[in-house]
Amino acid sequence: SAVISQKPSRDICQRGTSLTIQCQVDSQVTMMFWYRQQPGQSLTLIATANQGSEATYESGFVIDKFPISRPNLTFSTLTVSNMSPEDSSIYLCSAPVAGGYNEQFFGPGTRLTVL
Amino acid sequence: AQSVSQHNHHVILSEAASLELGCNYSYGGTVNLFWYVQYPGQHLQLLLKYFSGDPLVKGIKGFEAEFIKSKFSFNLRKPSVQWSDTAEYFCAVYGNNRLAFGKGNQVVVIP
């Protein structure tokens, strides 16, 4: 099983600022995924991050607002830019289980509060 | 695109009661189905999964789920819950290179 860590675990930010969330996997993975979990809601996929190529964004999410980096096979960052209170959510990263059938391991999440 | 429906978002049970959480999905292709659980303060973790074969799958901690293709359902069950089963439960379906999650069931087990 993979171990996924995220930093920071939580943060409180001011409106208009940006926050970069880091995700580290303890093994090499081709794809990493970023999700948002708004209060009382389900997990919504923001984007898929492949190493060596541009991230693929889901409908409703754009690169200017959520730029993603994927510099190597074990690491990715998600930036939440020009934040507003509506961005207050838990942000999670995930990676596929090696040899699994589309299973994913999830990180512990980053709880973001925007004032 | 695939979608997942979970009903009865808040469920409150006494210990030893039986639990059943409904999950209906829509997806036209071959389905991979999952139940994930998030205990208070912990990571989201896999409870059980279905890919093919026996439609009744067993997971960790005494949970099981039944895939009924004709009903597009993958309901989760546990015959006798414990206080430690207090958690949020998410049903998910994999398709189109992505996981789609339901809105979750917040289950509270009262000792």
Side-chain angles (χ1 to χ4, degrees):
Chain A
S1 61
V3 175
I4 302 178
S5 59
Q6 285 184 234
K7 287 195 288 189
S9 59
R10 59 180 63 226
D11 207 342
I12 300 173
C13 301
Q14 295 296 321
R15 180 195 299 262
T17 62
S18 298
L19 176 72
T20 295
I21 302 167
Q22 299 178 10
C23 179
Q24 179 78 51
V25 185
D26 69 346
S27 57
Q28 294 185 335
V29 292
T30 306
M31 293 187 291
M32 294 175 71
F33 305 89
W34 287 99
Y35 291 83
R36 182 175 71 183
Q37 185 178 16
Q38 293 178 301
Q41 301 295 315
S42 184
L43 284 79
T44 302
L45 181 64
I46 297 171
T48 302
N50 293 306
Q51 195 270 333
S53 63
E54 293 275 333
T56 304
Y57 289 83
E58 297 299 303
S59 176
F61 298 96
V62 295
I63 187 171
D64 289 347
K65 176 67 177 177
F66 297 102
I68 287 171
S69 78
R70 183 78 203 276
N72 58 51
L73 290 173
T74 63
F75 187 79
S76 178
T77 67
L78 171 77
T79 298
V80 186
S81 303
N82 187 25
M83 289 183 285
S84 66
E86 292 71 35
D87 295 319
S88 297
S89 284
I90 298 172
Y91 292 85
L92 300 104
C93 68
S94 74
V97 172
Y101 289 87
N102 306 313
E103 299 170 47
Q104 294 181 16
F105 284 116
F106 284 82
T110 295
R111 184 179 294 272
L112 170 63
T113 302
V114 184
L115 302 177
Chain B
Q2 68 272 38
S3 65
V4 180
S5 296
Q6 292 179 247
H7 308 289
N8 301 322
H9 183 65
H10 294 282
V11 178
I12 300 174
L13 299 166
S14 297
E15 276 193 317
S18 64
L19 173 67
E20 179 159 1
L21 301 177
C23 173
N24 289 93
Y25 66 92
S26 65
Y27 181 61
T30 301
V31 290
N32 297 161
L33 295 159
F34 306 88
W35 276 95
Y36 282 86
V37 61
Q38 189 167 30
Y39 298 103
Q42 295 190 27
H43 297 204
L44 197 65
Q45 57 187 284
L46 183 68
L47 195 57
L48 47 75
K49 61 193 178 192
Y50 172 80
F51 300 112
S52 63
D54 189 345
L56 184 63
V57 292
K58 297 191 183 297
I60 60 172
K61 304 188 180 184
F63 284 90
E64 64 180 30
E66 185 175 13
F67 169 56
I68 303 179
K69 187 175 181 179
S70 61
K71 295 185 177 180
F72 298 92
S73 69
F74 189 54
N75 294 351
L76 180 71
R77 297 193 292 257
K78 184 169 183 177
S80 176
V81 295
Q82 300 173 309
W83 173 78
S84 57
D85 293 322
T86 294
E88 189 149 19
Y89 295 82
F90 294 93
C91 183
V93 59
Y94 184 88
N96 298 319
N97 297 315
R98 61 181 59 82
L99 271 178
F101 285 84
K103 290 191 174 181
N105 297 104
Q106 182 66 56
V107 174
V108 175
V109 179
I110 300 171

